[in-house]
Amino acid sequence: MAAASPCAEPAGRNKPDNTAFTQQRLPAWQPLLSAGTALPLFFCVGLACLALGLGLHFSSGTIRELELDYTGAPGSGHSCSRCANASRAAGAGAGACTCSLRFELPERFPGPVCLYYQLSNYYQNHRRYSVSRDNRQLSGDAAGLRSPATECSPFRTDPRGLPIAPCGAIANSRFNDTFALYHLANGTFHRVPLDNRGISWWTDSNIKFSNPALLNGTLEATFKGTAKPPNWPQAAYLLDSNPNNTGFINEDFIVWMRIAALPTFRKLYRRVREGNFSSGLPQGTYCLNITYNYPVLSFQGTKKVIFSTVSWMGGKNPFLGIVYLVFGSACILTGFVMLAVHIKFQQQNQMDVE
């Protein structure tokens, strides 16, 4: 008789423990669907979706929106065409150019009124673009400030070898048009205060983005030895005179860094909720002064400014209500079909029994 190999595994060594969990003896429940349980479920889900869909649809219908295109395409006769042509010729290095849009607000917009900018044909979801950032640097890490991630290339260092802060293609392409709104009252244009507080996600401004620790009490000393992104006119610590809204914690910068999934997107720029306009924008004549910095004609893009009210569901979104209405109708229709089939075969079974 052959001797057992010394390398052989002892019998039962790999056998699972004799417990209810490892031996799959835990109690389980499996629903047994019948006409008495499935049909009420379809009708209840359908009615709930119809009710929610109607609420979303009518709520979306109460939201007021006004879109103003200021792309200034050649031959459009737009007041911003001059700035658009200048930015197209000079690219990102074009100097500041201003234009204005005078428009009528056909009805009162109850507050708070949100001011968005919208870009089209802009693919922020491109893989190389979407990963071109350094989250460690944006979180205020000192090592990330001095040694950006390789994903930021070719916007990782400048020609002198200095690290770029903030690095990456997303930061370098930051939207930098600015807007000032005026309301015509008694023959005089009065400036409408635009609030930039709280326009970014709370998790972004309080958790993901943070400035590095101050050196000698100033952010300028902290960023010393770094370079600004090539397309920026100034360094990050000069984005705002407010020390709580400059550098990596600048609200406009944070909003831009949250990339969009679709090529046409809008991002929140400001809210109208202060002063004499805290209750909203009255009907009348307005003038929007635009500092036209951002070129879009080179990639056949467009730029729009959008004024919108909000409701309990947020901004205008008729699609969501339509989806719930279609799904709820489909559930109810399916319920009626199943009910008809159930009645037909139930009668047939009774006839077979008789």
Side-chain angles (χ1 to χ4, degrees), residues 1-250:
M1 184 176 179
S5 171
C7 298
E9 292 286 345
R13 181 174 180 177
N14 295 326
K15 183 179 180 180
D17 295 334
N18 188 22
T19 63
F21 178 77
T22 58
Q23 298 297 335
Q24 299 184 14
R25 296 196 301 266
L26 290 174
W29 175 78
Q30 181 177 359
L32 299 177
L33 297 179
S34 62
T37 57
L39 292 178
L41 180 63
F42 271 95
F43 287 121
C44 290
V45 171
L47 291 174
C49 289
L50 283 179
L52 185 58
L54 288 173
L56 292 172
H57 182 71
F58 287 113
S59 177
S60 178
T62 62
I63 297 175
R64 303 290 178 260
E65 275 195 359
L66 178 66
E67 294 187 1
L68 302 173
D69 190 310
Y70 72 100
T71 306
S76 62
H78 199 280
S79 60
C80 292
S81 296
R82 173 180 54 86
C83 294
N85 293 332
S87 67
R88 185 174 190 177
C97 180
T98 59
C99 59
S100 61
L101 294 178
R102 185 164 176 164
F103 62 95
E104 296 288 331
L105 201 63
E107 58 182 324
R108 178 180 176 271
F109 276 31
V113 179
C114 295
L115 174 60
Y116 300 89
Y117 61 87
Q118 177 175 299
L119 301 178
S120 68
N121 202 34
Y122 197 118
Y123 291 84
Q124 280 196 314
N125 59 352
H126 190 282
R127 182 181 177 277
R128 288 289 303 275
Y129 181 91
S130 63
V131 301
S132 185
R133 59 189 294 165
D134 187 350
N135 291 323
R136 185 182 60 162
Q137 183 189 69
L138 297 174
S139 66
D141 184 80
L145 184 67
R146 303 299 172 183
S147 180
T150 56
E151 287 81 5
C152 286
S153 296
F155 304 106
R156 183 173 180 264
T157 58
D158 72 347
R160 298 170 296 171
L162 295 177
I164 295 176
C167 71
I170 307 177
N172 184 57
S173 60
R174 180 180 68 93
F175 183 82
N176 59 348
D177 285 359
T178 59
F179 310 98
L181 182 63
Y182 297 86
H183 175 234
L184 180 63
N186 300 323
T188 305
F189 278 104
H190 301 275
R191 184 156 187 166
V192 179
L194 302 177
D195 187 11
N196 66 343
R197 296 170 300 175
I199 60 175
S200 62
W201 287 26
W202 185 92
T203 52
D204 288 347
S205 57
N206 291 276
I207 299 176
K208 295 180 65 176
F209 289 80
S210 180
N211 280 328
L214 299 181
L215 293 179
N216 301 325
T218 65
L219 197 60
E220 180 179 0
T222 302
F223 278 84
K224 187 177 182 180
T226 65
K228 67 177 182 63
N231 287 346
W232 286 28
Q234 56 191 5
Y237 58 85
L238 297 174
L239 288 178
D240 198 307
S241 58
N242 181 3
N244 296 321
N245 189 43
T246 191
F248 297 156
I249 59 174
N250 178 263

Side-chain angles (χ1 to χ4, degrees), residues 35 39 43 334-344:
L39 292 178
F43 287 121
T334 303
F336 278 115
V337 171
M338 295 178 63
L339 178 62
V341 172
H342 171 68
I343 294 175
K344 176 182 177 181

Side-chain angles (χ1 to χ4, degrees), residues 288-306:
L288 184 69
N289 287 349
I290 304 169
T291 304
Y292 198 111
N293 298 311
Y294 206 76
V296 295
L297 295 181
S298 57
F299 56 87
Q300 291 77 49
T302 62
K303 296 193 292 187
K304 290 183 180 180
V305 172
I306 300 171

